Amino acid sequence: MAKQNVAEQFVDILVRAGVRRMYGVVGDSLNPVVDAIRRTDGIEWIQVRHEETAAFAAGAEAQITGRLAACAGSCGPGNLHLINGLYDAQRSMAPVLALASHIPSGEIGLGYFQETHPDQLFRECSHYSELISNPQQMPRLLQSAVQHAIGRSGVSVVALPGDVAARPAPEKAVEHALVTARPTVRPGDGEIEKLVRLVDEADRITLFCGSGTAGAHAEVMEFAGRVKAPVGHALRGKEWIQYDNPYDVGMSGLLGYGAAYEATHECDLLILLGTDFPYNAFLPDDVKIVQVDIRPEHLGRRSQLDLAVWGDVRETVRALNARVKAKTDRRFLDRMLKKHADALEGVVKAYTRKVEKHTPIHPEYVASVLDELADEDAVFTVDTGMCNVWAARYLSPNGKRRIIGSFSHGSMANALPQAIGAQFTDPGRQVVSMSGDGGFSMLMGDFLTLVQYDLPVKVVLFNNSSLGMVELEMLVSGLPSYGTRNTNPDFAAIARAAGAYGVRVEKPKQLTGALKDAFRHRGPALVDVVTDPNALSIPPRISAEMVTGFALSASKIVLDGGVGRMIQMARSNLRNVPRP
C-alpha cells in the first residue's frame, strides 16, 4: 500500500468525521487536497464561483443535517473570501471545518505573493484556527479542529501550506475515535429547584423561545399548558416553536407581530428558552427573568437575570414538567391570545383589499402565495432585508419545513448560496431561495453553480429595484434615502441565457401560474417578480431615539404589514379561550 501524503490523510479524517462534500474554488495551494478528494470515495469536491458561496453553502448543509460540513479557499485572496460565510456559520452555531490553504511554508513571513496569515485572520469567527507547518502535526491538529467544530457547534479553520499538504504523512501517526455528536446537558438539581420555585411563585409566566428549542417542541408545549403561559418567539425560533402551538402570541423585535411584546412585558416571570435575542430594547427590565441556554456565555448578556440556567432546553423543560405545580388560572394567557388575534386582525386588513390587482405586485402577496404552493417539507433560504419580513410573517412552519437565513450575522446575499448547500443534502427535496434583488445580484455568479450541477433550486426573486431595508433604516433615522436604488436587468432572461428556467412576473394574475410552473420544472428555476418598493408601511408616529440595525428605542415600534395564515392560527387559538 502506497504511503499517504498529508493531503490524503486530511481528506480521510474528514470522511471519518462525516463530511460528504467540500465546497470551494480550486487553486494551486489547494491542488494536493483537491486531488486527494478526487481519488477518495465518500466525499466530493463542489466547485462554486465564489468562496463566500462555499462558506455559506457549508453552513447551510450543517444546519440541515446536523453534521460537520466543509469548505476551502486557496492561499491569500481565495481563503479571505470565506470569511463572511464563516462568520455566519459561527453565529448560527453550524459545525463547519474550513481549509485555508497557505503559501509555501518556507516563504511565510517574507511578504511572498498572496501572503496573508489565515491562522490569525479567522480567529474572531471560529472556535479554533491553527496552522499546520509540519506534517508531524497531523492528524492530531485536524482531529482537534473537528472536535472543536462539532463540540462547540461552530467553525474551525485549518491553515495548510500547499507544500506541506504534498509531503508524506508521518508514520504511526496517532489517530483516535472522533467525537461526531454532542451530548445533552442537564442542569444541576440545585438550579432546577430554584427554577421550580420561581415558576410556582409566579402568577403570570411568559415563554420566549429561540433556536435552542429545536427538538423540544413537545416539552415546551406541555410546560406552557401546565403553567398557562403565552409563548412568543424570536425569528430563529419560528420554525421550531410556532407550529401546532395553541399558546402562540407571535414574534417580538422590529419584524415582530402580534402580542409577543405585551406578553413579555406584562408577565411577572419571563423565561427565555434557547434564545440569544440581541435587541434588548424589546425586552423588559422590570420583571423577573430566567434564561436557559446550552451556551453559558449567552447567559445574562442581554438582560439582567434572576436565574441563569446552563443546560439543554429539552432536558431542562422535561425536568420542570415533572416538578412544577399545574396552574388553573388562565386569565393572563387568554388575555394575551385575544390581544394577539386583535393585533393580527388590525394589520391584515391593509393587505386584503384588491391585493390580487395591485401593480406593482405587493411582496406580501407573493410571500403568501409562495407559502401556500410550497411543499410541506420545503427548505426556505431567506435573504437579509425585506425578505426577512416576508418570511417572518408569511411562511407557515409545520415541523417539517426549514427556514434558514443570516438571522444572527445579517449578511446580504446569503439565500442563494445557502440554497446550494441545502439542495446538495437532498436533491429530491424542494429548496426555495427567497432572494432580494440586491442580495441576488451580489453573488449572482453562483446561479451558474445551480446550472452546472443541475440543482433544482427555485429562486423566487423579490425585485423592487432597491435596498428596501436600508431605505427603511434611513427613513426612521430622518434621512432621505440615498444610494439605495438598483438599475436591474431582466433577471429571468439572464437565467434563461444561463440554461435555466426563467420567467418574469409583472402582474398579480401571472404569479400563481408562474410559481407552479417553476416548481414543476425539474431543474433550477428563477421567478423574477417585480414588486412594489413602497409596500412597507411605516408607523405614523416615529420615535426620535433610534439605534442602528433592527433595534429600536424605548418605545415599541413595529412594521405594519400583513401576517398571512398566522391570523388563521390566532383565530383558532382564540376559539379555545373559555367563555364566561
Side-chain angles (χ1 to χ4, degrees):
M1 182 177 178
K3 183 175 176 59
Q4 279 190 320
N5 64 22
V6 169
E8 291 165 335
Q9 189 180 58
F10 190 102
V11 172
D12 280 350
I13 291 171
L14 291 187
V15 173
R16 286 204 297 122
V19 173
R20 299 291 180 262
R21 54 194 64 84
M22 179 178 277
Y23 303 87
V25 178
V26 297
D28 57 354
S29 56
L30 267 176
N31 287 346
V33 174
V34 175
D35 188 63
I37 291 174
R38 178 183 65 84
R39 293 179 285 106
T40 302
D41 292 334
I43 188 171
E44 61 179 326
W45 175 261
I46 304 300
Q47 176 188 349
V48 297
R49 303 304 174 101
H50 195 294
E51 289 91 351
E52 184 176 350
T53 294
F56 271 121
E61 178 180 323
Q63 291 179 70
I64 293 292
T65 65
R67 296 194 311 263
L68 182 68
C71 58
S74 58
C75 63
N79 62 58
L80 280 176
H81 284 158
L82 295 170
I83 195 164
N84 194 45
L86 293 183
Y87 259 101
D88 184 79
Q90 175 79 348
R91 300 188 70 184
S92 299
M93 299 177 65
V96 172
L97 189 289
L99 169 60
S101 68
H102 207 353
I103 63 172
S105 58
E107 301 293 341
I108 296 174
L110 298 174
Y112 191 73
F113 175 65
Q114 294 189 324
E115 181 174 12
T116 59
H117 294 87
D119 54 314
Q120 299 176 38
L121 283 166
F122 292 102
R123 282 180 181 165
E124 188 175 324
C125 65
S126 67
H127 294 303
Y128 185 90
S129 182
E130 295 292 346
L131 168 68
I132 297 178
S133 57
N134 189 303
Q136 298 301 319
Q137 293 172 271
M138 282 285 289
R140 290 178 299 154
L141 189 147
L142 180 57
Q143 290 173 161
S144 181
V146 166
Q147 293 184 181
H148 272 80
I150 295 171
R152 299 187 67 183
S153 293
V155 172
S156 284
V157 180
V158 175
L160 177 62
D163 62 309
V164 175
R167 291 177 192 169
E171 294 184 8
K172 299 181 180 178
V174 176
E175 295 191 27
H176 59 74
L178 289 168
V179 174
T180 58
R182 300 179 71 230
T184 56
V185 178
R186 182 189 180 281
D189 288 338
E191 282 67 36
I192 292 293
E193 288 304 323
K194 291 176 184 176
L195 181 49
V196 168
R197 192 157 51 247
L198 284 171
V199 170
D200 286 345
E201 291 172 355
D203 294 321
R204 303 181 307 279
I205 299 171
T206 294
L207 310 182
F208 188 69
C209 302
S211 61
T213 57
H217 184 275
E219 287 78 8
V220 173
M221 292 301 104
E222 180 183 349
F223 180 61
R226 285 186 68 81
V227 300
K228 307 300 183 285
V231 179
H233 60 269
L235 180 53
R236 290 191 65 202
K238 174 184 174 74
E239 62 178 328
W240 305 115
I241 213 68
Q242 189 189 33
Y243 70 96
D244 295 341
N245 181 354
Y247 316 105
D248 176 60
V249 291
M251 192 174 88
S252 194
L254 179 62
L255 310 187
Y257 54 84
Y261 182 92
E262 287 87 348
T264 56
H265 283 71
E266 296 180 26
C267 61
D268 53 29
L269 177 63
L270 173 62
I271 303 179
L272 306 175
L273 294 175
T275 180
D276 191 34
F277 183 71
Y279 312 122
N280 54 14
F282 286 91
L283 294 174
D285 55 12
D286 57 352
V287 305
K288 289 184 179 180
I289 301 179
V290 173
Q291 185 177 1
V292 180
D293 207 290
I294 194 69
R295 300 280 284 267
E297 65 269 26
H298 290 177
L299 296 170
R301 70 178 182 178
R302 311 297 183 197
S303 304
Q304 183 172 338
L305 302 181
D306 293 270
L307 180 63
V309 180
W310 180 13
D312 175 84
V313 169
R314 183 180 182 184
E315 292 300 316
T316 303
V317 177
R318 181 179 290 172
L320 286 179
N321 285 334
R323 304 189 190 192
V324 297
K325 298 175 183 176
K327 298 183 185 297
T328 57
D329 186 349
R330 53 177 293 151
R331 285 176 295 177
F332 175 63
L333 169 61
D334 293 342
R335 182 161 59 86
M336 290 301 112
L337 290 175
K338 187 175 188 309
K339 277 193 173 186
H340 180 60
D342 290 346
L344 298 195
E345 291 280 3
V347 298
V348 79
K349 291 177 183 176
Y351 298 99
T352 56
R353 297 172 184 165
K354 300 181 180 179
V355 68
E356 296 87 352
K357 298 180 181 179
H358 182 88
T359 304
I361 303 170
H362 268 313
E364 299 90 342
Y365 177 62
V366 181
S368 179
V369 174
L370 174 61
D371 180 56
E372 292 177 6
L373 297 181
D375 289 350
E376 289 295 296
D377 65 345
V379 177
F380 297 92
T381 60
V382 183
D383 259 344
T384 296
M386 295 314 304
C387 284
N388 272 196
V389 180
W390 317 137
R393 298 186 171 190
Y394 285 89
L395 296 186
S396 303
N398 57 11
K400 300 175 184 177
R401 287 178 166 179
R402 295 298 312 273
I403 305 172
I404 294 174
S406 187
F407 299 139
S408 295
H409 186 49
S411 173
M412 285 181 66
N414 61 286
L416 173 62
Q418 289 177 327
I420 291 171
Q423 193 71 82
F424 266 114
T425 67
D426 185 352
R429 188 175 186 181
Q430 187 182 74
V431 176
V432 179
S433 172
M434 293 178 63
S435 297
D437 57 291
F440 179 76
S441 58
M442 185 177 283
L443 284 176
M444 186 167 59
D446 268 294
F447 188 79
L448 300 177
T449 300
L450 302 183
V451 177
Q452 181 165 332
Y453 288 95
D454 197 27
L455 293 174
V457 170
K458 313 307 178 190
V459 178
V460 179
L461 188 59
F462 289 71
N463 182 2
N464 63 0
S465 297
S466 73
L467 303 177
M469 184 60 75
V470 181
E471 285 194 353
L472 170 64
E473 291 170 343
M474 288 178 172
L475 289 171
V476 297
S477 298
L479 301 172
S481 59
Y482 181 74
T484 59
R485 290 293 169 173
N486 297 327
T487 300
N488 287 331
D490 183 336
F491 288 108
I494 291 176
R496 292 192 296 271
Y501 180 92
V503 61
R504 186 173 173 91
V505 178
E506 297 180 346
K507 296 181 180 180
K509 65 181 181 181
Q510 301 169 330
L511 180 64
T512 298
L515 287 175
K516 286 182 177 180
D517 289 344
F519 288 166
R520 281 194 293 263
H521 183 72
R522 296 178 65 87
L526 184 145
V527 182
D528 180 7
V529 187
V530 180
T531 60
D532 186 353
N534 301 311
L536 185 63
S537 175
I538 308 299
R541 185 171 179 271
I542 305 294
S543 167
E545 301 174 357
M546 308 299 291
V547 293
T548 59
F550 290 162
L552 293 179
S553 62
S555 63
K556 177 204 172 192
I557 300 175
V558 297
L559 300 177
D560 184 16
V563 288
R565 286 190 284 176
M566 283 177 281
I567 186 64
Q568 299 171 15
M569 184 169 68
R571 290 167 177 160
S572 176
N573 291 344
L574 194 60
R575 285 196 291 270
N576 296 325
V577 175
R579 303 300 182 202

PDB file of all heavy atoms in Angstrom, residues 475-497:
ATOM      1  N   LEU A 475     -35.078  56.212   6.569  1.00  0.00           N
ATOM      2  CA  LEU A 475     -36.295  56.971   6.823  1.00  0.00           C
ATOM      3  C   LEU A 475     -36.565  57.130   8.312  1.00  0.00           C
ATOM      4  O   LEU A 475     -36.900  58.217   8.784  1.00  0.00           O
ATOM      5  CB  LEU A 475     -37.485  56.302   6.130  1.00  0.00           C
ATOM      6  CG  LEU A 475     -37.504  56.404   4.601  1.00  0.00           C
ATOM      7  CD1 LEU A 475     -38.599  55.516   4.035  1.00  0.00           C
ATOM      8  CD2 LEU A 475     -37.707  57.846   4.158  1.00  0.00           C
ATOM      9  N   VAL A 476     -36.413  56.036   9.069  1.00  0.00           N
ATOM     10  CA  VAL A 476     -36.701  56.135  10.502  1.00  0.00           C
ATOM     11  C   VAL A 476     -35.620  56.917  11.234  1.00  0.00           C
ATOM     12  O   VAL A 476     -35.821  57.330  12.379  1.00  0.00           O
ATOM     13  CB  VAL A 476     -36.881  54.742  11.147  1.00  0.00           C
ATOM     14  CG1 VAL A 476     -38.057  54.023  10.554  1.00  0.00           C
ATOM     15  CG2 VAL A 476     -35.605  53.910  11.037  1.00  0.00           C
ATOM     16  N   SER A 477     -34.485  57.147  10.586  1.00  0.00           N
ATOM     17  CA  SER A 477     -33.440  57.995  11.166  1.00  0.00           C
ATOM     18  C   SER A 477     -33.582  59.440  10.718  1.00  0.00           C
ATOM     19  O   SER A 477     -32.738  60.282  11.041  1.00  0.00           O
ATOM     20  CB  SER A 477     -32.055  57.470  10.761  1.00  0.00           C
ATOM     21  OG  SER A 477     -31.849  56.176  11.265  1.00  0.00           O
ATOM     22  N   GLY A 478     -34.620  59.725   9.934  1.00  0.00           N
ATOM     23  CA  GLY A 478     -34.852  61.079   9.479  1.00  0.00           C
ATOM     24  C   GLY A 478     -34.021  61.481   8.287  1.00  0.00           C
ATOM     25  O   GLY A 478     -33.876  62.674   7.993  1.00  0.00           O
ATOM     26  N   LEU A 479     -33.471  60.503   7.564  1.00  0.00           N
ATOM     27  CA  LEU A 479     -32.622  60.785   6.412  1.00  0.00           C
ATOM     28  C   LEU A 479     -33.363  60.463   5.123  1.00  0.00           C
ATOM     29  O   LEU A 479     -34.141  59.507   5.073  1.00  0.00           O
ATOM     30  CB  LEU A 479     -31.342  59.943   6.467  1.00  0.00           C
ATOM     31  CG  LEU A 479     -30.451  60.113   7.700  1.00  0.00           C
ATOM     32  CD1 LEU A 479     -29.337  59.077   7.676  1.00  0.00           C
ATOM     33  CD2 LEU A 479     -29.880  61.517   7.766  1.00  0.00           C
ATOM     34  N   PRO A 480     -33.126  61.209   4.065  1.00  0.00           N
ATOM     35  CA  PRO A 480     -33.683  60.812   2.764  1.00  0.00           C
ATOM     36  C   PRO A 480     -32.942  59.587   2.250  1.00  0.00           C
ATOM     37  O   PRO A 480     -31.749  59.409   2.507  1.00  0.00           O
ATOM     38  CB  PRO A 480     -33.414  62.039   1.880  1.00  0.00           C
ATOM     39  CG  PRO A 480     -32.210  62.674   2.486  1.00  0.00           C
ATOM     40  CD  PRO A 480     -32.320  62.450   3.967  1.00  0.00           C
ATOM     41  N   SER A 481     -33.658  58.712   1.566  1.00  0.00           N
ATOM     42  CA  SER A 481     -32.984  57.534   1.013  1.00  0.00           C
ATOM     43  C   SER A 481     -32.006  57.972  -0.069  1.00  0.00           C
ATOM     44  O   SER A 481     -32.303  58.847  -0.891  1.00  0.00           O
ATOM     45  CB  SER A 481     -34.010  56.554   0.441  1.00  0.00           C
ATOM     46  OG  SER A 481     -34.768  57.170  -0.578  1.00  0.00           O
ATOM     47  N   TYR A 482     -30.844  57.371  -0.052  1.00  0.00           N
ATOM     48  CA  TYR A 482     -29.784  57.760  -0.982  1.00  0.00           C
ATOM     49  C   TYR A 482     -28.880  56.553  -1.218  1.00  0.00           C
ATOM     50  O   TYR A 482     -28.485  55.863  -0.266  1.00  0.00           O
ATOM     51  CB  TYR A 482     -28.964  58.918  -0.415  1.00  0.00           C
ATOM     52  CG  TYR A 482     -27.858  59.414  -1.333  1.00  0.00           C
ATOM     53  CD1 TYR A 482     -28.164  60.168  -2.465  1.00  0.00           C
ATOM     54  CD2 TYR A 482     -26.531  59.112  -1.062  1.00  0.00           C
ATOM     55  CE1 TYR A 482     -27.157  60.614  -3.309  1.00  0.00           C
ATOM     56  CE2 TYR A 482     -25.522  59.555  -1.898  1.00  0.00           C
ATOM     57  CZ  TYR A 482     -25.829  60.304  -3.029  1.00  0.00           C
ATOM     58  OH  TYR A 482     -24.836  60.735  -3.864  1.00  0.00           O
ATOM     59  N   GLY A 483     -28.569  56.287  -2.488  1.00  0.00           N
ATOM     60  CA  GLY A 483     -27.695  55.166  -2.817  1.00  0.00           C
ATOM     61  C   GLY A 483     -28.344  53.813  -2.656  1.00  0.00           C
ATOM     62  O   GLY A 483     -27.647  52.799  -2.520  1.00  0.00           O
ATOM     63  N   THR A 484     -29.672  53.779  -2.655  1.00  0.00           N
ATOM     64  CA  THR A 484     -30.375  52.517  -2.405  1.00  0.00           C
ATOM     65  C   THR A 484     -31.105  51.978  -3.628  1.00  0.00           C
ATOM     66  O   THR A 484     -31.656  50.878  -3.566  1.00  0.00           O
ATOM     67  CB  THR A 484     -31.417  52.710  -1.280  1.00  0.00           C
ATOM     68  OG1 THR A 484     -32.343  53.730  -1.664  1.00  0.00           O
ATOM     69  CG2 THR A 484     -30.728  53.099   0.021  1.00  0.00           C
ATOM     70  N   ARG A 485     -31.129  52.713  -4.719  1.00  0.00           N
ATOM     71  CA  ARG A 485     -31.874  52.273  -5.900  1.00  0.00           C
ATOM     72  C   ARG A 485     -30.988  51.446  -6.824  1.00  0.00           C
ATOM     73  O   ARG A 485     -29.837  51.790  -7.078  1.00  0.00           O
ATOM     74  CB  ARG A 485     -32.426  53.482  -6.659  1.00  0.00           C
ATOM     75  CG  ARG A 485     -33.554  54.199  -5.927  1.00  0.00           C
ATOM     76  CD  ARG A 485     -34.795  53.313  -5.854  1.00  0.00           C
ATOM     77  NE  ARG A 485     -35.804  53.857  -4.939  1.00  0.00           N
ATOM     78  CZ  ARG A 485     -37.016  53.334  -4.818  1.00  0.00           C
ATOM     79  NH1 ARG A 485     -37.356  52.272  -5.531  1.00  0.00           N
ATOM     80  NH2 ARG A 485     -37.868  53.849  -3.964  1.00  0.00           N
ATOM     81  N   ASN A 486     -31.524  50.351  -7.333  1.00  0.00           N
ATOM     82  CA  ASN A 486     -30.806  49.470  -8.255  1.00  0.00           C
ATOM     83  C   ASN A 486     -31.386  49.585  -9.662  1.00  0.00           C
ATOM     84  O   ASN A 486     -32.605  49.591  -9.832  1.00  0.00           O
ATOM     85  CB  ASN A 486     -30.927  48.006  -7.811  1.00  0.00           C
ATOM     86  CG  ASN A 486     -30.293  47.752  -6.457  1.00  0.00           C
ATOM     87  OD1 ASN A 486     -29.301  48.384  -6.103  1.00  0.00           O
ATOM     88  ND2 ASN A 486     -30.860  46.820  -5.699  1.00  0.00           N
ATOM     89  N   THR A 487     -30.522  49.663 -10.640  1.00  0.00           N
ATOM     90  CA  THR A 487     -30.949  49.554 -12.034  1.00  0.00           C
ATOM     91  C   THR A 487     -30.751  48.106 -12.445  1.00  0.00           C
ATOM     92  O   THR A 487     -29.618  47.634 -12.613  1.00  0.00           O
ATOM     93  CB  THR A 487     -30.122  50.483 -12.945  1.00  0.00           C
ATOM     94  OG1 THR A 487     -30.290  51.832 -12.504  1.00  0.00           O
ATOM     95  CG2 THR A 487     -30.577  50.352 -14.389  1.00  0.00           C
ATOM     96  N   ASN A 488     -31.836  47.397 -12.580  1.00  0.00           N
ATOM     97  CA  ASN A 488     -31.775  45.949 -12.744  1.00  0.00           C
ATOM     98  C   ASN A 488     -32.062  45.510 -14.181  1.00  0.00           C
ATOM     99  O   ASN A 488     -32.851  46.145 -14.887  1.00  0.00           O
ATOM    100  CB  ASN A 488     -32.776  45.261 -11.810  1.00  0.00           C
ATOM    101  CG  ASN A 488     -32.341  45.305 -10.361  1.00  0.00           C
ATOM    102  OD1 ASN A 488     -31.152  45.332 -10.068  1.00  0.00           O
ATOM    103  ND2 ASN A 488     -33.305  45.301  -9.452  1.00  0.00           N
ATOM    104  N   PRO A 489     -31.478  44.392 -14.574  1.00  0.00           N
ATOM    105  CA  PRO A 489     -31.834  43.788 -15.855  1.00  0.00           C
ATOM    106  C   PRO A 489     -33.065  42.910 -15.703  1.00  0.00           C
ATOM    107  O   PRO A 489     -33.652  42.815 -14.614  1.00  0.00           O
ATOM    108  CB  PRO A 489     -30.606  42.928 -16.153  1.00  0.00           C
ATOM    109  CG  PRO A 489     -30.171  42.458 -14.788  1.00  0.00           C
ATOM    110  CD  PRO A 489     -30.449  43.627 -13.860  1.00  0.00           C
ATOM    111  N   ASP A 490     -33.444  42.257 -16.760  1.00  0.00           N
ATOM    112  CA  ASP A 490     -34.460  41.204 -16.720  1.00  0.00           C
ATOM    113  C   ASP A 490     -33.763  39.943 -16.215  1.00  0.00           C
ATOM    114  O   ASP A 490     -33.069  39.255 -16.953  1.00  0.00           O
ATOM    115  CB  ASP A 490     -35.052  40.992 -18.114  1.00  0.00           C
ATOM    116  CG  ASP A 490     -36.165  39.961 -18.129  1.00  0.00           C
ATOM    117  OD1 ASP A 490     -36.197  39.101 -17.222  1.00  0.00           O
ATOM    118  OD2 ASP A 490     -36.985  39.989 -19.056  1.00  0.00           O
ATOM    119  N   PHE A 491     -33.911  39.673 -14.922  1.00  0.00           N
ATOM    120  CA  PHE A 491     -33.193  38.538 -14.336  1.00  0.00           C
ATOM    121  C   PHE A 491     -33.649  37.211 -14.932  1.00  0.00           C
ATOM    122  O   PHE A 491     -32.870  36.256 -15.015  1.00  0.00           O
ATOM    123  CB  PHE A 491     -33.383  38.524 -12.820  1.00  0.00           C
ATOM    124  CG  PHE A 491     -32.640  39.608 -12.095  1.00  0.00           C
ATOM    125  CD1 PHE A 491     -33.326  40.682 -11.531  1.00  0.00           C
ATOM    126  CD2 PHE A 491     -31.266  39.563 -11.967  1.00  0.00           C
ATOM    127  CE1 PHE A 491     -32.654  41.680 -10.854  1.00  0.00           C
ATOM    128  CE2 PHE A 491     -30.568  40.565 -11.290  1.00  0.00           C
ATOM    129  CZ  PHE A 491     -31.263  41.623 -10.734  1.00  0.00           C
ATOM    130  N   ALA A 492     -34.905  37.127 -15.314  1.00  0.00           N
ATOM    131  CA  ALA A 492     -35.405  35.889 -15.924  1.00  0.00           C
ATOM    132  C   ALA A 492     -34.696  35.619 -17.246  1.00  0.00           C
ATOM    133  O   ALA A 492     -34.383  34.465 -17.572  1.00  0.00           O
ATOM    134  CB  ALA A 492     -36.910  35.974 -16.133  1.00  0.00           C
ATOM    135  N   ALA A 493     -34.436  36.665 -18.013  1.00  0.00           N
ATOM    136  CA  ALA A 493     -33.712  36.498 -19.276  1.00  0.00           C
ATOM    137  C   ALA A 493     -32.288  36.024 -19.019  1.00  0.00           C
ATOM    138  O   ALA A 493     -31.744  35.190 -19.770  1.00  0.00           O
ATOM    139  CB  ALA A 493     -33.708  37.812 -20.057  1.00  0.00           C
ATOM    140  N   ILE A 494     -31.670  36.537 -17.962  1.00  0.00           N
ATOM    141  CA  ILE A 494     -30.321  36.079 -17.602  1.00  0.00           C
ATOM    142  C   ILE A 494     -30.349  34.600 -17.228  1.00  0.00           C
ATOM    143  O   ILE A 494     -29.473  33.824 -17.614  1.00  0.00           O
ATOM    144  CB  ILE A 494     -29.765  36.932 -16.446  1.00  0.00           C
ATOM    145  CG1 ILE A 494     -29.478  38.355 -16.936  1.00  0.00           C
ATOM    146  CG2 ILE A 494     -28.513  36.300 -15.856  1.00  0.00           C
ATOM    147  CD1 ILE A 494     -29.012  39.293 -15.848  1.00  0.00           C
ATOM    148  N   ALA A 495     -31.378  34.193 -16.471  1.00  0.00           N
ATOM    149  CA  ALA A 495     -31.495  32.780 -16.086  1.00  0.00           C
ATOM    150  C   ALA A 495     -31.631  31.897 -17.326  1.00  0.00           C
ATOM    151  O   ALA A 495     -30.984  30.842 -17.420  1.00  0.00           O
ATOM    152  CB  ALA A 495     -32.699  32.592 -15.163  1.00  0.00           C
ATOM    153  N   ARG A 496     -32.455  32.314 -18.261  1.00  0.00           N
ATOM    154  CA  ARG A 496     -32.631  31.513 -19.480  1.00  0.00           C
ATOM    155  C   ARG A 496     -31.330  31.462 -20.286  1.00  0.00           C
ATOM    156  O   ARG A 496     -30.968  30.414 -20.830  1.00  0.00           O
ATOM    157  CB  ARG A 496     -33.762  32.084 -20.332  1.00  0.00           C
ATOM    158  CG  ARG A 496     -35.143  31.940 -19.697  1.00  0.00           C
ATOM    159  CD  ARG A 496     -36.261  32.238 -20.693  1.00  0.00           C
ATOM    160  NE  ARG A 496     -36.236  33.613 -21.153  1.00  0.00           N
ATOM    161  CZ  ARG A 496     -36.865  34.622 -20.567  1.00  0.00           C
ATOM    162  NH1 ARG A 496     -37.567  34.413 -19.463  1.00  0.00           N
ATOM    163  NH2 ARG A 496     -36.810  35.850 -21.067  1.00  0.00           N
ATOM    164  N   ALA A 497     -30.610  32.580 -20.335  1.00  0.00           N
ATOM    165  CA  ALA A 497     -29.345  32.595 -21.066  1.00  0.00           C
ATOM    166  C   ALA A 497     -28.322  31.660 -20.426  1.00  0.00           C
ATOM    167  O   ALA A 497     -27.451  31.109 -21.115  1.00  0.00           O
ATOM    168  CB  ALA A 497     -28.790  34.013 -21.119  1.00  0.00           C
TER     169      ALA A 497
END
